[in-house]
């Protein structure tokens, strides 16, 4: 009990300390700082876009992993977790390798007048690289928890596999999937290591905090951190409420 | 209507071998077997979840061996109901109708009709998570029936229900069958099979042991396995040795009225046709032996007594007779039975 309390204190303590060390005037000034507001907007926007873009590929992929057996499946599951264990700066270098102008993707983008390095798309890829395992793993667990028997029952009622996926598997795994989406979004927003290698500008908030800390010191970095944490908390609560409401609405609709 | 020809399925250690049965339109066909006999595999194959390694499935003279699940006019009710937990009763039943182009009104009418037929009309707007086992079974049945399958497959439908619910569902299944619904029902319970089937197939370890009318399967079981499964007592291997005399396992000779000659087979001595007495009786019964009482235990129909007369015989008597004879384990007792109560079944 005491040990648990100590761990909890270790998690909450630094954040609370930072809140108490920041005056309300500093917070208000930071909220009115255009650079901070743009940065938070950019961070939230890119992370959200990356989450939804990758969700379209990751959710069916997670379903496949939960339902099909194939050789090297364990290897594939291991590869999915790779971005979690490799240093994020190294992840940034890896992403840079595939989107730089020397790479096939980079050259193709260049052909259309795009350069992903220093571009929101590059930032989104870096965010997704380190955060997509959270979505895939959560969705995989969700689909695994859906009894195959229910899908078989739907098939025996002459539903197509696509209909079975959308009417049985997806709704029943929804809670886990939402949790995975929130985790991916949150992890993407907070990413610094990979993003800073791919794009110092446009500046996402973690990079901005780092820059303010390097250029002006702790006093100037702290209010930005506090505001960013508050925004993150508000978004999480909103997401959770929305997900619960949606779930409740669906349940009401179906009952 | 349905013909399975030389079906072979291999699933890990289990295999269904050379399985051939024939089901006619309007049949109530019960597949009887112990757990692990391969009964569920047969239903999953008929539904299209499992493809046979070899052999053919013909449905209305059409080869459907490789036909997709969606195209088969076969409905399956799973043993564990598999009712969708996130949909209410109405939506569960209406599930198969949603994509068939029916109007909302048509869907309502069809769902209500089948809900009335299966006795779940009052539950239509309830959550499935609030239902009892019997109610879930009826919802699962209604959900399959609404799709109007030509052949209805039931996987142990009465298995987990209490006696009252069993009776009620049994009546419903009889009613459906009488209305023309062809049913294949799998079970391990011979009483269930006897009460519903007009045709029975007994399977063991992936093999068809016997197929036929219940009266034939239950009165003339083709093996000891079937006799055990169907609860038949006093079933022994026997050999015809001379006129009206058969030897049971070479241990004891009994008189049996049989037209069979010089052959091997099985005999059944119905346990309720054996008479117990303290002294030898002068009667028309030609089989009279003394034996030692091994066990006495209550049974559903009175008292069951097992007696060692060289072979172990099971005798069913009333509780009054049991008290009158002051039966106790280890006591010597006379048993007698008539030759014409012994059934001789020739081995094929």
């Amino acid at each position: 009990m005491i040990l648990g309390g100590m761990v909890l204190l270790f998690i909450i303590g630094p954040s609370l300390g930072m809140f108490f060390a920041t005056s309300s005037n500093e917070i208000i000034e930071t909220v009115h700082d255009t650079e901070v507001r743009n940065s938070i907007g950019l961070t939230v926007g890119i992370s959200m876009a990356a989450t939804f873009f990758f969700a379209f590929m990751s959710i069916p992929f997670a379903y496949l992993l939960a339902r099909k057996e194939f050789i090297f499946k364990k290897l594939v599951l291991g590869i999915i977790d790779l971005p979690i264990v490799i240093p994020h700066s190294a992840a940034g270098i890896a992403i840079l390798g595939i989107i730089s102008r020397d790479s096939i993707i980079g050259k193709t983008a260049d052909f259309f007048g795009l350069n992903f390095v220093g571009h929101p798309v590059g930032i989104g890829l870096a965010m997704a690289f380190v955060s997509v395992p959270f979505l895939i793993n959560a969705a995989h667990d969700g689909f695994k928890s859906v009894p195959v028997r229910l899908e078989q029952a739907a098939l025996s009622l002459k539903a197509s596999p696509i209909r079975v996926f959308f009417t049985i598997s997806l709704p029943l795994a929804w809670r886990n999937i939402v949790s995975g989406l929130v985790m991916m979004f949150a992890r993407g927003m907070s990413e610094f290591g990979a993003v800073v290698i791919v794009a110092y500008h446009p500046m996402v908030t973690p990079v901005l905090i780092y820059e303010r800390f390097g250029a002006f010191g702790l006093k100037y970095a702290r209010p930005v951190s506090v505001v960013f944490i508050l925004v993150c908390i508000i978004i999480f609560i909103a997401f959770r409420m929305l997900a619960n409401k949606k779930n409740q609405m669906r349940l009401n609709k179906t009952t | 209507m349905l013909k399975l020809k030389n079906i072979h399925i291999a699933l890990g250690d289990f295999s269904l071998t050379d399985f051939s049965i024939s089901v006619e339109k309007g049949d109530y066909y019960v597949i009887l077997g112990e757990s692990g006999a391969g009964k569920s595999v047969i239903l999953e194959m008929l539904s299209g979840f499992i493809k046979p390694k070899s052999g053919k499935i013909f449905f209305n003279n059409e080869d459907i061996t490789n036909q997709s699940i969606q195209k088969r006019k076969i409905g399956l009710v799973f043993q564990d109901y598999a009712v969708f937990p996130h949909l209410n009763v109405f939506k569960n039943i209406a599930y198969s109708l949603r994509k068939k182009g029916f109007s909302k009104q048509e869907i309502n009418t069809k769902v209500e009709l089948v809900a009335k037929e299966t006795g779940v009309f009052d539950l239509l707007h309830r959550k499935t998570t609030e239902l009892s086992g019997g109610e879930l079974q009826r919802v699962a049945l209604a959900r399959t029936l609404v799709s109007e399958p030509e052949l209805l497959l039931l996987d142990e439908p009465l298995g987990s229900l209490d006696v009252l619910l069993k009776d009620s569902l049994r009546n419903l299944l009889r009613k459906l069958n009488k209305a023309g619904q062809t049913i294949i029902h799998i079970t391990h319970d011979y009483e269930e099979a006897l009460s519903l089937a007009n045709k029975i197939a007994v399977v063991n370890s992936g093999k068809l042991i016997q197929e036929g009318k219940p009266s034939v399967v239950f009165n003339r079981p083709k093996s000891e396995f079937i006799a055990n499964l169907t609860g038949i007592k006093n079933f022994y291997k026997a050999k015809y040795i001379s006129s009206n005399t058969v030897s049971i396992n070479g241990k004891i000779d009994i008189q049996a009225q049989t037209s069979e000659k010089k052959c091997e087979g099985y005999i059944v001595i119905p346990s309720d046709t054996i008479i117990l007495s303290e002294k030898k009786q002068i009667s028309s019964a030609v089989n009279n032996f003394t034996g030692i009482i091994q066990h006495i235990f209550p049974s559903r129909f009175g008292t069951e007594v097992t007696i060692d007369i060289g072979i172990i015989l099971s005798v069913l008597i009333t509780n009054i007779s049991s008290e009158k004879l002051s039966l106790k384990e280890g006591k010597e007792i006379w048993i007698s039975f008539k030759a014409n109560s012994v059934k001789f079944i020739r081995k094929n």
Side-chain angles (χ1 to χ4, degrees), chain A residues 22-34:
Chain A
T22 312
S23 70
S24 52
N25 279 347
E26 282 174 317
I27 292 174
I28 291 165
E29 268 177 41
T30 308
V31 169
H32 286 98
D33 184 337
T34 318

Side-chain angles (χ1 to χ4, degrees), chain A residues 179-254:
Chain A
S179 181
L181 287 168
V182 172
M183 282 299 290
M184 182 181 173
F185 172 63
R187 189 64 200 83
M189 269 205 312
S190 59
E191 180 54 24
F192 170 75
V195 172
V196 79
I197 302 250
V198 173
Y200 199 82
H201 288 282
M203 213 173 268
V204 292
T205 316
V207 178
L208 180 70
I209 292 167
Y210 175 72
E211 200 217 31
R212 293 229 169 154
F213 176 67
F216 308 109
L218 185 64
K219 193 174 168 19
Y220 289 89
R222 200 157 41 203
V224 186
S225 304
V226 169
V227 170
F228 189 49
I229 289 173
L230 283 173
V231 169
C232 288
I233 291 171
I234 291 166
I235 290 172
F236 289 149
I237 294 171
F239 259 132
R240 286 282 175 194
M241 284 171 70
L242 201 72
N244 283 341
K245 201 177 168 189
K246 204 172 171 186
N247 211 26
Q248 198 56 49
M249 274 170 65
R250 210 183 51 237
L251 278 173
N252 289 340
K253 215 176 149 188
T254 57

